[in-house]
Amino acid sequence: MTNEQRLTRNETLVLTVLRETASPQTAYQLLDRLRGDGLKAPLQVYRALRSLSERHLVHRLESLNAFMACNHHHGEHHHAAVFLICQTCGRVSEATDPALDEALASLARRSDFALHDAAVEMRGLCAECAATRDEEAALA
């Protein structure tokens, strides 16, 4: 059975909005978008987000206090999620790296720590914003 089977109506609504939205959304932004679908209380959104997070279908971006749909299948092995956050346009992309997974697991072992999951948030410029900045600098 996949993680998307047996989603509640509210979970399906929240996941659909997150998949259709280019930028991470706060719970209140989700609530505003879903009021017309019958979601009226923040608790409804938070419950859906918690369940979707537990199924690895959405990720919480701690620094933004916002959520985004997961763009890849984690499977049985829970990869460290790396979020690349553009400081200009706000676009967020998700990446994984087996070498990072191993480095984090090794660090946890050396620290006698039972690693559950890991997320790394990186800030900078996406390729499009970096190119625009370079073009503007060349014209100046």
Side-chain angles (χ1 to χ4, degrees):
M1 181 178 304
T2 68
N3 284 341
E4 292 191 48
Q5 290 178 337
R6 296 190 178 174
L7 291 180
T8 67
R9 178 180 179 276
N10 290 354
E11 291 165 356
T12 300
L13 289 169
V14 167
L15 184 58
T16 299
V17 168
L18 288 173
R19 285 183 172 161
E20 292 174 350
T21 306
S23 61
Q25 299 289 295
T26 67
Y28 284 92
Q29 287 172 319
L30 290 166
L31 180 60
D32 288 343
R33 296 260 320 258
L34 294 169
R35 284 189 197 280
D37 293 301
L39 272 72
K40 304 217 181 308
L43 188 56
Q44 292 174 291
V45 174
Y46 281 115
R47 282 182 182 151
L49 288 167
R50 183 181 63 236
S51 177
L52 293 167
S53 293
E54 289 169 356
R55 297 173 192 215
H56 303 286
L57 296 172
V58 303
H59 295 292
R60 181 171 186 256
L61 299 169
E62 299 290 335
S63 65
L64 301 176
N65 194 26
F67 298 84
M68 63 180 278
C70 178
N71 68 11
H72 69 278
H73 177 68
H74 288 271
E76 291 300 315
H77 177 70
H78 300 292
H79 300 282
V82 180
F83 301 105
L84 299 98
I85 304 168
C86 181
Q87 293 176 286
T88 300
C89 69
R91 186 178 304 142
V92 178
S93 58
E94 179 183 356
T96 61
D97 185 322
L100 177 62
D101 291 340
E102 181 50 43
L104 292 172
S106 177
L107 176 62
R109 284 190 300 273
R110 288 192 316 268
S111 302
D112 200 25
F113 181 77
L115 180 63
H116 179 261
D117 63 15
V120 176
E121 295 184 21
M122 298 171 54
R123 295 185 194 312
L125 299 177
C126 67
E128 189 174 316
C129 289
T132 300
R133 182 196 63 192
D134 292 345
E135 289 172 11
E136 290 171 354
L139 294 174

